[in-house]
């Protein structure tokens, strides 16, 4: 796999900026969920890095669960199209105050699907927290209750977001240089 430095066009959001904003989001969540029965649902796999950093600043008692969805198209092809559930929750969410934790909302199709699906299980409340929002790319309108950053229409990686499953560990959000990146299938 290529070193990230060879395919990085620019650092869009650095580590310090990310961490400052994540703390602010957590503080907002702490205020809004006081006395509620908070359940954080992380959408795998992109949401995990954000989730872990966010929850370290969440002081209201809460539970965690995970779900995964797949959309067709990986790598640097942006998402869109059909979405399906590939891993269901372990928790019964009925009556709970559910907060979905996502890495990025792009077309909006993933979140729209997840919201519709979770609503049928009758949580007490259902909200969305996303680290990144590529508003320009929206195909399906979705409510976003907590937004880390609005970003331009560029393919990004790092901080949970992958390029063909690599680079999720990077502590910043980088823009990929598509002229330099060689997807594994083409190597
Ligand atoms: P949506 O259904 O189009 O909103 O897509 C959401 C999913 O697409 C995210 O959870 C990411 O997995 C993926 N995605 C969208 N844009 C990017 C990107 O710039 N980098 C990495 N993954 C992305
Ligand atoms: Mg994802």
């Amino acid at each position: 796999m290529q070193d990230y430095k060879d395919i990085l066009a620019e650092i869009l959001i650095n580590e310090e900026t990310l961490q400052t904003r994540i703390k602010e989001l957590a503080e907002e969540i702490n205020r809004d969920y006081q006395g509620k029965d908070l359940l954080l649902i992380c959408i795998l796999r992109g949401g995990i890095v954000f989730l872990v950093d966010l929850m370290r600043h969440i002081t209201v008692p809460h539970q965690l669960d995970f779900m995964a969805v797949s959309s067709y198209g990986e790598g640097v092809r942006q998402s869109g199209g059909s979405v399906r559930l590939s891993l269901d929750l372990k928790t019964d969410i009925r009556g709970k105050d559910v907060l979905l934790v996502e890495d990025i909302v792009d077309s909006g199709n993933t979140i729209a699907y997840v919201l519709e699906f979770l609503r049928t299980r009758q949580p007490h409340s259902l909200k969305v927290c996303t680290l990144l929002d590529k508003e320009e790319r929206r195909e399906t309108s979705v409510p976003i209750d907590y937004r880390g950053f609005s970003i331009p229409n560029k393919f990004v990686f790092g901080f949970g977001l992958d390029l063909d499953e690599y680079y999720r560990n990077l502590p910043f959000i980088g823009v990929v240089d598509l002229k330099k990146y060689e997807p594994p299938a083409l190597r």
Side-chain angles (χ1 to χ4, degrees), residues 21-86:
R21 183 71 187 124
I22 290 171
K23 190 155 182 279
E24 286 172 4
L25 289 172
E27 283 161 3
E28 243 185 277
I29 292 166
N30 289 335
R31 281 194 297 275
D32 297 350
Y33 285 89
Q34 207 127 82
K36 302 211 167 169
D37 195 5
L38 176 59
L39 171 66
L40 299 175
I41 296 181
C42 175
I43 304 180
L44 296 173
R45 290 178 278 253
I48 56 165
V49 178
F50 176 40
L51 169 80
V52 169
D53 283 353
L54 183 73
M55 66 186 278
R56 280 194 274 224
H57 297 292
I58 294 184
T59 52
V60 294
H62 61 277
Q63 295 176 310
L64 268 190
D65 205 347
F66 297 90
M67 65 186 291
V69 290
S70 3
S71 53
Y72 297 98
E74 297 221 344
V76 293
R77 270 172 296 158
Q78 297 190 351
S79 56
S82 60
V83 180
R84 63 191 168 78
L85 184 75
S86 55

Coordinates of all heavy atoms in Angstrom, one line a residue, residues 21-86:
R21 N -13.1 20.7 18.2 CA -14.5 20.6 17.7 C -15.2 19.4 18.3 O -16.4 19.5 18.7 CB -14.5 20.6 16.2 CG -15.9 20.6 15.6 CD -16.6 21.9 15.7 NE -18.0 21.9 15.3 CZ -19.0 22.2 16.1 NH1 -18.8 22.7 17.3 NH2 -20.2 22.1 15.6
I22 N -14.5 18.3 18.4 CA -15.2 17.1 19.0 C -15.6 17.4 20.5 O -16.6 17.0 20.9 CB -14.3 15.9 18.8 CG1 -14.2 15.5 17.4 CG2 -14.7 14.7 19.7 CD1 -13.2 14.4 17.0
K23 N -14.7 18.1 21.2 CA -15.0 18.4 22.6 C -16.2 19.3 22.7 O -17.1 19.1 23.5 CB -13.7 19.0 23.2 CG -13.8 19.2 24.7 CD -12.4 19.3 25.3 CE -12.5 19.4 26.8 NZ -12.7 20.8 27.3
E24 N -16.3 20.3 21.8 CA -17.5 21.1 21.7 C -18.8 20.4 21.5 O -19.8 20.6 22.1 CB -17.3 22.2 20.6 CG -16.3 23.3 20.9 CD -16.1 24.2 19.7 OE1 -16.7 24.0 18.6 OE2 -15.2 25.1 19.8
L25 N -18.7 19.4 20.5 CA -19.9 18.6 20.2 C -20.3 17.8 21.4 O -21.5 17.7 21.8 CB -19.6 17.7 19.0 CG -19.4 18.3 17.7 CD1 -19.0 17.2 16.7 CD2 -20.7 18.9 17.2
A26 N -19.3 17.2 22.1 CA -19.6 16.4 23.3 C -20.3 17.3 24.4 O -21.2 16.9 25.1 CB -18.4 15.8 23.8
E27 N -19.8 18.5 24.5 CA -20.4 19.4 25.5 C -21.8 19.8 25.2 O -22.7 19.8 26.1 CB -19.5 20.7 25.7 CG -18.3 20.4 26.5 CD -17.1 21.4 26.3 OE1 -17.3 22.4 25.5 OE2 -16.1 21.2 26.9
E28 N -22.1 19.9 23.9 CA -23.5 20.2 23.5 C -24.4 18.9 23.8 O -25.5 19.1 24.3 CB -23.5 20.3 21.9 CG -24.0 21.7 21.5 CD -24.0 21.7 19.9 OE1 -23.0 21.9 19.3 OE2 -25.1 21.5 19.4
I29 N -23.8 17.8 23.5 CA -24.5 16.5 23.8 C -24.8 16.4 25.3 O -25.9 16.0 25.7 CB -23.7 15.3 23.2 CG1 -23.8 15.4 21.6 CG2 -24.3 14.0 23.7 CD1 -22.8 14.5 20.9
N30 N -23.8 16.7 26.1 CA -23.9 16.6 27.5 C -25.1 17.5 28.0 O -25.8 17.1 28.9 CB -22.6 17.0 28.2 CG -21.5 16.0 28.1 OD1 -21.8 14.8 27.8 ND2 -20.3 16.4 28.1
R31 N -25.2 18.7 27.5 CA -26.3 19.6 27.9 C -27.6 19.0 27.4 O -28.6 18.9 28.2 CB -26.1 20.9 27.2 CG -25.1 21.8 27.9 CD -25.2 23.3 27.5 NE -24.9 23.4 26.1 CZ -23.7 23.6 25.6 NH1 -22.6 23.6 26.4 NH2 -23.5 23.8 24.3
D32 N -27.7 18.5 26.2 CA -29.0 18.1 25.6 C -29.5 16.8 26.2 O -30.7 16.5 26.1 CB -28.9 18.0 24.1 CG -28.5 19.3 23.4 OD1 -28.6 20.3 24.1 OD2 -28.2 19.3 22.2
Y33 N -28.6 15.9 26.6 CA -29.0 14.6 27.1 C -29.0 14.4 28.6 O -29.1 13.2 29.0 CB -28.2 13.5 26.4 CG -28.6 13.4 24.9 CD1 -28.0 14.1 23.9 CD2 -29.6 12.4 24.5 CE1 -28.4 14.0 22.6 CE2 -30.0 12.3 23.2 CZ -29.4 13.1 22.2 OH -29.7 12.9 20.9
Q34 N -29.0 15.5 29.3 CA -29.0 15.4 30.7 C -30.3 14.7 31.2 O -31.4 15.1 30.7 CB -29.0 16.8 31.3 CG -28.4 16.8 32.7 CD -27.3 17.8 32.8 OE1 -27.6 19.0 33.0 NE2 -26.1 17.4 32.6
G35 N -30.2 13.6 32.0 CA -31.4 13.0 32.5 C -32.1 12.0 31.5 O -33.2 11.5 31.7
K36 N -31.5 11.9 30.3 CA -32.1 11.0 29.3 C -31.4 9.6 29.3 O -30.4 9.4 29.9 CB -32.0 11.7 27.9 CG -32.7 13.0 27.9 CD -33.2 13.3 26.5 CE -34.2 14.5 26.7 NZ -34.6 15.0 25.4
D37 N -31.9 8.7 28.5 CA -31.4 7.4 28.4 C -30.6 7.2 27.1 O -31.1 6.6 26.2 CB -32.6 6.4 28.5 CG -32.1 5.0 28.8 OD1 -30.9 4.8 29.1 OD2 -33.0 4.1 28.8
L38 N -29.4 7.8 27.1 CA -28.7 7.9 25.8 C -28.0 6.6 25.4 O -27.4 5.9 26.1 CB -27.6 9.0 26.0 CG -26.6 9.2 24.9 CD1 -27.3 9.6 23.6 CD2 -25.5 10.3 25.2
L39 N -28.3 6.3 24.1 CA -27.6 5.2 23.5 C -26.9 5.7 22.2 O -27.5 6.3 21.3 CB -28.6 4.1 23.0 CG -28.1 3.0 22.2 CD1 -27.1 2.1 22.9 CD2 -29.3 2.1 21.6
L40 N -25.6 5.6 22.2 CA -24.8 6.0 21.0 C -24.7 4.8 20.1 O -24.3 3.7 20.5 CB -23.4 6.4 21.4 CG -23.2 7.6 22.4 CD1 -21.7 7.7 22.8 CD2 -23.7 8.8 21.8
I41 N -25.1 5.0 18.8 CA -25.0 4.0 17.8 C -24.0 4.4 16.8 O -24.2 5.4 16.1 CB -26.3 3.7 17.2 CG1 -27.3 3.1 18.2 CG2 -26.1 2.7 16.0 CD1 -28.7 2.8 17.6
C42 N -22.9 3.7 16.7 CA -21.8 4.0 15.8 C -22.0 3.2 14.5 O -22.3 1.9 14.6 CB -20.5 3.6 16.4 SG -19.1 3.8 15.3
I43 N -22.0 3.8 13.4 CA -22.1 3.1 12.1 C -20.7 2.7 11.7 O -19.8 3.6 11.5 CB -22.8 4.0 11.1 CG1 -24.2 4.4 11.7 CG2 -23.0 3.2 9.8 CD1 -25.0 5.3 10.8
L44 N -20.5 1.4 11.6 CA -19.2 0.9 11.3 C -18.9 1.0 9.8 O -19.8 1.0 9.0 CB -19.1 -0.6 11.7 CG -19.3 -0.9 13.2 CD1 -19.4 -2.4 13.4 CD2 -18.1 -0.3 13.9
R45 N -17.7 1.1 9.4 CA -16.5 1.2 10.3 C -16.0 2.6 10.5 O -15.3 2.9 11.4 CB -15.4 0.3 9.7 CG -15.7 -1.2 9.7 CD -14.6 -2.0 9.1 NE -14.8 -2.0 7.7 CZ -15.2 -3.1 7.0 NH1 -15.4 -4.2 7.6 NH2 -15.4 -3.0 5.7
G46 N -16.4 3.5 9.5 CA -15.9 4.8 9.5 C -16.1 5.6 10.8 O -15.3 6.5 11.1
G47 N -17.2 5.3 11.5 CA -17.5 6.2 12.7 C -16.7 5.9 13.9 O -16.8 6.7 14.9
I48 N -15.9 4.8 13.9 CA -15.3 4.4 15.2 C -14.3 5.4 15.8 O -14.3 5.6 17.0 CB -14.6 3.0 15.1 CG1 -13.6 2.9 14.1 CG2 -15.6 1.9 15.0 CD1 -12.6 1.8 14.2
V49 N -13.5 6.0 15.0 CA -12.4 6.9 15.6 C -13.1 8.1 16.2 O -12.8 8.5 17.3 CB -11.4 7.3 14.5 CG1 -10.4 8.3 15.1 CG2 -10.7 6.1 13.9
F50 N -14.1 8.7 15.5 CA -14.9 9.8 16.0 C -15.6 9.4 17.3 O -15.6 10.1 18.3 CB -15.9 10.2 14.9 CG -16.8 11.3 15.2 CD1 -16.4 12.4 16.0 CD2 -18.1 11.3 14.8 CE1 -17.3 13.4 16.3 CE2 -19.0 12.3 15.1 CZ -18.6 13.4 15.9
L51 N -16.2 8.2 17.2 CA -17.0 7.8 18.4 C -16.1 7.7 19.7 O -16.5 8.2 20.7 CB -17.6 6.4 18.2 CG -18.1 5.7 19.4 CD1 -19.5 6.2 19.8 CD2 -18.1 4.2 19.4
V52 N -14.9 7.1 19.5 CA -14.0 6.9 20.7 C -13.6 8.3 21.2 O -13.6 8.5 22.4 CB -12.8 6.0 20.3 CG1 -11.8 6.0 21.4 CG2 -13.3 4.6 20.0
D53 N -13.2 9.2 20.4 CA -12.8 10.5 20.9 C -14.0 11.3 21.4 O -13.8 12.0 22.5 CB -12.1 11.3 19.8 CG -10.7 10.8 19.5 OD1 -10.2 9.9 20.3 OD2 -10.0 11.2 18.6
L54 N -15.1 11.2 20.8 CA -16.3 11.9 21.3 C -16.8 11.4 22.7 O -17.0 12.1 23.6 CB -17.5 11.7 20.3 CG -18.8 12.4 20.5 CD1 -18.7 13.9 20.3 CD2 -19.9 11.8 19.6
M55 N -16.8 10.1 22.8 CA -17.4 9.5 24.0 C -16.5 9.8 25.3 O -17.0 9.8 26.4 CB -17.7 8.0 23.9 CG -16.5 7.1 23.7 SD -17.1 5.4 23.4 CE -17.3 4.9 25.1
R56 N -15.2 10.0 25.0 CA -14.3 10.4 26.1 C -14.7 11.7 26.8 O -14.3 12.0 27.9 CB -12.9 10.4 25.7 CG -12.3 8.9 25.6 CD -10.8 8.9 25.5 NE -10.4 9.1 24.1 CZ -9.5 8.3 23.6 NH1 -8.8 7.5 24.3 NH2 -9.2 8.5 22.3
H57 N -15.4 12.5 26.0 CA -15.9 13.8 26.6 C -17.3 13.8 26.9 O -17.9 14.8 27.4 CB -15.6 14.9 25.6 CG -14.2 15.1 25.2 ND1 -13.3 15.6 26.1 CD2 -13.5 14.8 24.1 CE1 -12.1 15.6 25.5 NE2 -12.2 15.2 24.3
I58 N -18.0 12.7 26.7 CA -19.4 12.6 27.1 C -19.5 12.2 28.6 O -19.0 11.1 29.0 CB -20.2 11.7 26.2 CG1 -20.2 12.3 24.7 CG2 -21.7 11.5 26.7 CD1 -21.0 11.5 23.7
T59 N -20.2 13.0 29.3 CA -20.2 12.8 30.8 C -21.6 12.3 31.2 O -21.7 11.8 32.4 CB -19.9 14.1 31.6 OG1 -20.8 15.1 31.1 CG2 -18.5 14.5 31.4
V60 N -22.6 12.3 30.4 CA -23.9 11.8 30.8 C -23.8 10.2 30.6 O -23.2 9.7 29.7 CB -25.1 12.3 29.9 CG1 -25.3 13.8 30.2 CG2 -24.9 12.1 28.4
P61 N -24.5 9.5 31.5 CA -24.4 8.0 31.4 C -25.0 7.6 30.1 O -26.0 8.1 29.6 CB -25.3 7.5 32.5 CG -25.5 8.7 33.5 CD -25.3 9.9 32.6
H62 N -24.3 6.6 29.4 CA -24.8 6.2 28.1 C -24.4 4.8 27.8 O -23.4 4.3 28.4 CB -24.3 7.1 27.0 CG -22.8 7.2 26.9 ND1 -22.0 8.0 27.7 CD2 -21.9 6.5 26.1 CE1 -20.8 7.8 27.4 NE2 -20.7 6.9 26.5
Q63 N -25.0 4.2 26.9 CA -24.7 2.9 26.4 C -24.2 3.0 24.9 O -24.4 4.1 24.3 CB -25.9 1.9 26.4 CG -26.4 1.6 27.8 CD -27.7 0.8 27.7 OE1 -28.6 1.1 27.0 NE2 -27.7 -0.3 28.5
L64 N -23.6 1.9 24.4 CA -23.0 1.9 23.1 C -23.5 0.7 22.3 O -23.7 -0.3 22.9 CB -21.5 1.6 23.2 CG -20.5 2.7 23.3 CD1 -19.1 2.0 23.1 CD2 -20.7 3.7 22.2
D65 N -23.8 0.9 21.0 CA -24.0 -0.2 20.2 C -23.5 0.1 18.8 O -23.1 1.3 18.5 CB -25.5 -0.6 20.1 CG -25.7 -2.1 19.8 OD1 -24.7 -2.7 19.3 OD2 -26.8 -2.5 20.0
F66 N -23.4 -0.9 17.9 CA -22.8 -0.8 16.6 C -23.7 -1.4 15.6 O -24.4 -2.3 15.8 CB -21.5 -1.5 16.6 CG -20.5 -1.0 17.5 CD1 -20.4 -1.4 18.8 CD2 -19.6 0.1 17.1 CE1 -19.5 -0.9 19.7 CE2 -18.7 0.6 18.0 CZ -18.6 0.1 19.3
M67 N -23.7 -0.8 14.4 CA -24.4 -1.4 13.3 C -23.5 -1.1 12.0 O -22.7 -0.2 12.0 CB -25.8 -0.9 13.1 CG -25.9 0.6 12.8 SD -27.7 1.1 12.8 CE -28.3 0.3 11.4
A68 N -23.8 -1.9 11.0 CA -23.0 -1.7 9.8 C -24.0 -1.8 8.6 O -24.9 -2.5 8.6 CB -21.9 -2.7 9.6
V69 N -23.7 -0.9 7.6 CA -24.5 -0.9 6.4 C -23.5 -1.0 5.2 O -22.4 -0.5 5.4 CB -25.4 0.3 6.3 CG1 -26.5 0.3 7.3 CG2 -24.6 1.6 6.4
S70 N -23.9 -1.5 4.2 CA -23.0 -1.5 3.0 C -23.8 -0.7 1.9 O -25.0 -0.9 1.7 CB -22.6 -2.8 2.5 OG -23.3 -3.9 3.2
S71 N -23.0 0.1 1.2 CA -23.5 0.7 0.0 C -22.6 0.2 -1.1 O -21.5 -0.1 -0.9 CB -23.5 2.2 0.1 OG -22.3 2.7 0.4
Y72 N -23.1 0.1 -2.3 CA -22.3 -0.4 -3.4 C -21.3 0.7 -3.8 O -21.6 1.8 -3.8 CB -23.3 -0.9 -4.5 CG -24.1 -2.0 -4.0 CD1 -25.4 -1.8 -3.6 CD2 -23.5 -3.2 -3.9 CE1 -26.1 -2.8 -3.1 CE2 -24.3 -4.3 -3.3 CZ -25.6 -4.1 -2.9 OH -26.3 -5.1 -2.4
G73 N -20.1 0.2 -4.1 CA -19.1 1.2 -4.5 C -18.2 1.4 -3.4 O -18.6 1.8 -2.3
E74 N -16.9 1.2 -3.6 CA -15.9 1.4 -2.5 C -14.8 2.3 -3.1 O -14.9 2.8 -4.1 CB -15.4 0.1 -2.0 CG -16.5 -0.8 -1.4 CD -16.0 -1.5 -0.1 OE1 -14.8 -1.5 0.1 OE2 -16.9 -1.9 0.6
G75 N -13.7 2.3 -2.3 CA -12.6 3.1 -2.7 C -12.9 4.6 -2.9 O -13.5 5.1 -2.0
V76 N -12.5 5.2 -3.9 CA -12.7 6.6 -4.1 C -13.9 6.9 -4.9 O -14.2 8.1 -5.2 CB -11.4 7.3 -4.7 CG1 -10.3 7.2 -3.7 CG2 -11.0 6.7 -6.0
R77 N -14.6 5.9 -5.4 CA -15.9 6.2 -6.0 C -16.8 6.6 -4.8 O -16.9 5.9 -3.8 CB -16.5 4.9 -6.6 CG -16.1 4.8 -8.1 CD -16.5 3.4 -8.6 NE -15.8 2.3 -7.9 CZ -16.3 1.1 -7.8 NH1 -17.4 0.8 -8.3 NH2 -15.6 0.2 -7.2
Q78 N -17.4 7.7 -5.0 CA -18.2 8.2 -3.8 C -19.5 7.4 -3.8 O -19.9 6.7 -4.8 CB -18.5 9.7 -4.0 CG -17.1 10.4 -3.9 CD -17.3 11.9 -3.7 OE1 -18.3 12.4 -3.9 NE2 -16.2 12.5 -3.5
S79 N -20.1 7.4 -2.6 CA -21.2 6.5 -2.4 C -22.5 7.0 -3.1 O -22.5 7.9 -3.9 CB -21.5 6.4 -0.9 OG -21.7 7.7 -0.4
G80 N -23.6 6.4 -2.7 CA -24.8 6.7 -3.4 C -25.4 5.4 -3.8 O -24.7 4.4 -3.8
G81 N -26.6 5.4 -4.2 CA -27.2 4.2 -4.7 C -27.8 3.4 -3.5 O -28.1 3.9 -2.5
S82 N -27.9 2.1 -3.7 CA -28.6 1.3 -2.7 C -27.8 1.0 -1.5 O -26.6 0.8 -1.5 CB -29.2 0.1 -3.3 OG -28.2 -0.7 -3.8
V83 N -28.5 0.9 -0.3 CA -27.9 0.7 1.0 C -28.6 -0.5 1.6 O -29.8 -0.7 1.4 CB -28.1 1.9 1.9 CG1 -27.5 1.7 3.2 CG2 -27.6 3.2 1.2
R84 N -27.8 -1.4 2.2 CA -28.5 -2.5 3.0 C -27.8 -2.7 4.3 O -26.6 -2.4 4.5 CB -28.6 -3.7 2.2 CG -27.3 -4.3 1.8 CD -27.4 -5.4 0.8 NE -26.1 -5.7 0.3 CZ -25.2 -6.4 1.0 NH1 -25.5 -7.0 2.1 NH2 -24.0 -6.6 0.5
L85 N -28.5 -3.3 5.3 CA -28.0 -3.6 6.6 C -27.1 -4.8 6.5 O -27.4 -5.8 6.0 CB -29.2 -3.9 7.5 CG -28.9 -4.1 9.0 CD1 -28.6 -2.8 9.6 CD2 -30.0 -4.8 9.7
S86 N -25.9 -4.7 7.1 CA -25.0 -5.8 7.1 C -24.7 -6.3 8.5 O -24.2 -7.4 8.7 CB -23.7 -5.6 6.3 OG -23.0 -4.5 6.8

